[in-house]
Amino acid sequence: MTAADVPALLRETVGEGALITDPAGMGSYLTDWRNAWSGAAAAVVRPGSTEEVAAVVRACRTAGVAVVPQGGNTGLCGGSMPDSSGRQVVLSLDRMRRIRGVDPVDLTITAEAGVVLRSVQQAAAAEGCLFPLSLGSEASCTIGGNLATNAGGTGVLRYGNMRDLTLGLEVVLPDGRIWNGLRALRKDNTGYDLKQLFVGAEGTLGVITAAVLKLFPAVRSRATAWVALPSPQAAVDLIGVVRALCGDRLTGFEVMSRQSVDFVLRHQAGARDLFADVHPWYALVELSDTLPDAGLDGLLEAGLAEAFEREVAADAVVASGSAQVAALWALREGISEAQNFEGPSLKHDVTVPVSSIPAFVERTDRALQAALPGIRIVTYGHIGDGNLHYNLSKPAGSDDAAFRAMAGELARVVYDSTSSFDGSISAEHGLGQSKRDVIADYKDGLELELMRGIKRLLDPPGLMNPGKVLPSA
Ligand code: FAD
Ligand code: S2G
Ligand code: ZN
């Protein structure tokens, strides 16, 4: 079958209404949120039900046409983009937006893959519950994409990542069969945990069409502090102090370097630092509780007092009122966007053991400056999970193209350092196409062999999101 035959095939399968073939109409489906990746497609198809997804997958399988599942297109590794051949089909889940049920007794929500994360958060809140996954992209990313990338975000240290929040899945397998694993059980020891194969598979093992997700009791009190720190070691110490005192009430701990804050202060309207002095590191620390007046401000102040006593904190302020809390989170969530104003941003999303963070930062920064003197290193993220975003900007005033040309070399500096601390070169964003080849240098050969075996078992012709996750060679 040639690319020209695909639209007719799909028209027969799901009808004209679910099909886009004109270049203008396909446009937004063929480049990602950051315009970092783009592709060409024979068609974009938008099925409205699981059965339609299955029909499309079966038809494409029979015709030997590759399928690229797509959610909100906010992924950062090019995983939702077709290649440039123009022969692949983008299967967008953006019409599958039903919330099939919320159960406050079972503490579960059942949502279709195309539901936007913020809508799931709102549906949970409407029932007095919390769905705790929280990402800077939550207004656009979808539950299907969150599952496929095993998304993390700012609540992982208390609630876990998407893998931990998933109870059941409905998946259209690469041969078009529908697996209904939409169970709402917290315990089910009846063989292999099949759902976990599809979480984090980035659309390479099947199309997730719905999920049963865990809910938690709603949070009714919160306290947030902005803390100045002398070093990454102080940040790690501060986590220990606050966690020892507050336990599970510690629900947010984000660290950011001065370079990160400087970019936001420069490019985010209204952003301001709460301290007069400039400090090398900052942390945004948040406690929350289901009690309406749990005295969290006092608890946080007690933790900060101990941090001062131990000379861990250099300055600190507990936010007063929701506007100031929102401004602090906007500062943190604004880093990614602010950096885009400074030229190309080379992103690295890595994890090392929390205890290794200080030595890792010291070694990585030294190696990066040796590789490119004057490089500006934006280090920030979910330090409580050992996850730092090491996003690099060119030396001020230097050439964009020359900086981009060093991307491979600079990535190797970050990843070699990560690996030297037994870390992972992808903490939460996945591999997509951007890291599918470099993973071969950092993943154990047996693990890659097992992953390929699973891919061959479920998708022998390799038509489900080809060119993603697994190394080409
Ligand atoms: P897409 O980008 O559409 O797709 C991502 C991958 O999932 C692709 O491989 C695609 O093929 C596959 N896929 C999508 N839907 C399905 C489906 N139904 N079935 C099978 N495969 C599917 N990520 C984090 O983990 N933590 C963060 O803190 C975070 N912050 C972000 C902040 C910003 C500003 C931005 C732009 C992104 C951020 N991300 C973060 C990355 C991104 O939002 C997540 O990876 C998100 O889960 C992607 O969801 P999506 O619906 O946009 O997926
Ligand atoms: C975050 C995503 C953005 C980026 O902000 O926590 O996961 O630029 C990141 O890396
Ligand atoms: Zn992140």
Side-chain angles (χ1 to χ4, degrees):
M1 168 165 287
T2 66
D5 305 328
V6 172
L9 168 76
L10 294 174
R11 207 164 276 122
E12 264 168 51
T13 311
V14 284
E16 190 62 38
L19 200 54
I20 308 174
T21 53
D22 67 294
M26 290 200 281
S28 63
Y29 296 90
L30 300 181
T31 184
D32 72 336
W33 170 83
R34 290 185 301 149
N35 294 319
W37 301 91
S38 61
V44 172
V45 62
R46 305 169 63 228
S49 69
T50 302
E51 290 67 26
E52 283 191 2
V53 171
V56 167
V57 170
R58 267 196 307 277
C60 289
R61 171 75 170 261
T62 310
V65 174
V67 170
V68 180
Q70 193 176 96
N73 243 340
T74 68
L76 295 167
C77 306
S80 62
M81 281 297 113
D83 66 14
S84 56
S85 71
R87 283 201 298 273
Q88 298 183 341
V89 167
V90 169
L91 191 158
S92 172
L93 285 298
D94 65 2
R95 285 182 58 220
M96 291 191 65
R97 297 216 153 159
R98 278 177 294 278
I99 289 180
R100 295 185 186 171
V102 184
D103 188 326
V105 174
D106 282 343
L107 281 178
T108 61
I109 184 165
T110 305
E112 293 186 341
V115 179
V116 168
L117 173 54
R118 180 162 290 167
S119 304
V120 167
Q121 294 167 344
Q122 289 166 343
E127 296 289 334
C129 298
L130 168 73
F131 181 67
L133 190 81
S134 179
L135 320 178
S137 54
E138 58 198 24
S140 307
C141 65
T142 65
I143 289 304
N146 297 152
L147 287 156
T149 58
N150 183 25
T154 53
V156 171
L157 83 167
R158 166 67 180 81
Y159 299 102
N161 53 24
M162 205 52 180
R163 188 176 301 286
D164 305 308
L165 297 171
T166 305
L167 289 170
L169 287 184
E170 178 187 76
V171 180
V172 173
L173 300 175
D175 62 9
R177 287 179 295 170
I178 299 170
W179 171 51
N180 180 354
L182 286 175
R183 282 181 283 279
L185 304 173
R186 250 83 179 169
K187 288 184 170 179
D188 176 4
N189 261 347
T190 51
Y192 304 132
D193 190 353
L194 295 176
K195 66 178 178 298
Q196 293 300 354
L197 272 180
F198 301 98
V199 179
E202 301 182 60
T204 59
L205 299 182
V207 183
I208 296 168
T209 48
V212 181
L213 303 170
K214 287 178 190 169
L215 295 180
F216 294 80
V219 156
R220 290 188 287 175
S221 59
R222 208 180 281 272
T224 307
W226 179 246
V227 187
L229 299 159
S231 66
Q233 183 61 57
V236 172
D237 295 343
L238 182 62
I239 297 172
V241 166
V242 177
R243 206 174 236 155
L245 194 69
C246 310
D248 275 350
R249 294 187 193 84
L250 176 62
T251 52
F253 196 107
E254 296 290 305
V255 77
M256 53 217 94
S257 64
R258 181 65 207 186
Q259 182 65 76
S260 315
V261 173
D262 276 344
F263 280 0
V264 180
L265 295 175
R266 191 176 304 164
H267 299 295
Q268 187 182 87
R272 63 187 196 82
D273 183 355
L274 298 184
F275 305 129
D277 298 339
V278 172
H279 297 271
W281 292 87
Y282 298 82
L284 185 56
V285 185
E286 187 153 279
L287 306 183
S288 61
D289 198 306
T290 53
L291 288 173
D293 47 7
L296 294 181
D297 279 9
L299 193 59
L300 192 47
E301 273 152 12
L304 294 170
E306 188 180 332
F308 279 116
E309 224 171 274
R310 291 172 52 172
E311 295 183 357
V312 164
D315 202 345
V317 61
V318 175
S320 56
S322 54
Q324 196 169 51
V325 170
L328 289 173
W329 277 105
L331 195 151
R332 187 282 175 215
E333 296 295 7
I335 297 170
S336 182
E337 198 167 348
Q339 187 166 16
N340 291 336
F341 290 98
E342 297 286 336
S345 158
L346 304 181
K347 294 181 180 296
H348 308 89
D349 155 46
V350 297
T351 316
V352 294
V354 175
S355 56
S356 303
I357 288 233
F360 166 68
V361 170
E362 200 275 327
R363 181 179 302 174
T364 309
D365 285 7
R366 190 160 22 89
L368 284 168
Q369 290 298 348
L372 179 58
I375 189 171
R376 293 176 295 169
I377 305 169
V378 171
T379 312
Y380 73 102
H382 329 288
I383 188 173
D385 322 327
N387 177 191
L388 289 179
H389 296 300
Y390 244 92
N391 295 346
L392 310 176
S393 285
K394 65 183 183 181
S398 67
D399 175 58
D400 283 5
F403 183 60
R404 281 202 182 89
M406 288 191 71
E409 181 190 343
L410 295 169
R412 192 142 307 269
V413 168
V414 177
Y415 294 156
D416 285 353
S417 180
T418 303
S419 181
S420 72
F421 287 94
D422 295 329
S424 163
I425 70 161
S426 183
E428 53 179 13
H429 298 162
L431 300 172
Q433 50 183 304
S434 61
K435 292 172 241 179
R436 60 177 280 230
D437 286 324
V438 75
I439 190 63
D441 298 332
Y442 297 100
K443 195 120 181 122
D444 171 83
L446 178 57
E447 287 181 303
L448 288 172
E449 189 189 317
L450 292 172
M451 285 165 53
R452 287 188 200 286
I454 291 166
K455 174 69 175 175
R456 268 197 306 277
L457 172 75
L458 287 171
D459 180 22
L463 292 173
M464 192 54 76
N465 215 3
K468 315 299 178 20
V469 178
L470 288 171
S472 44

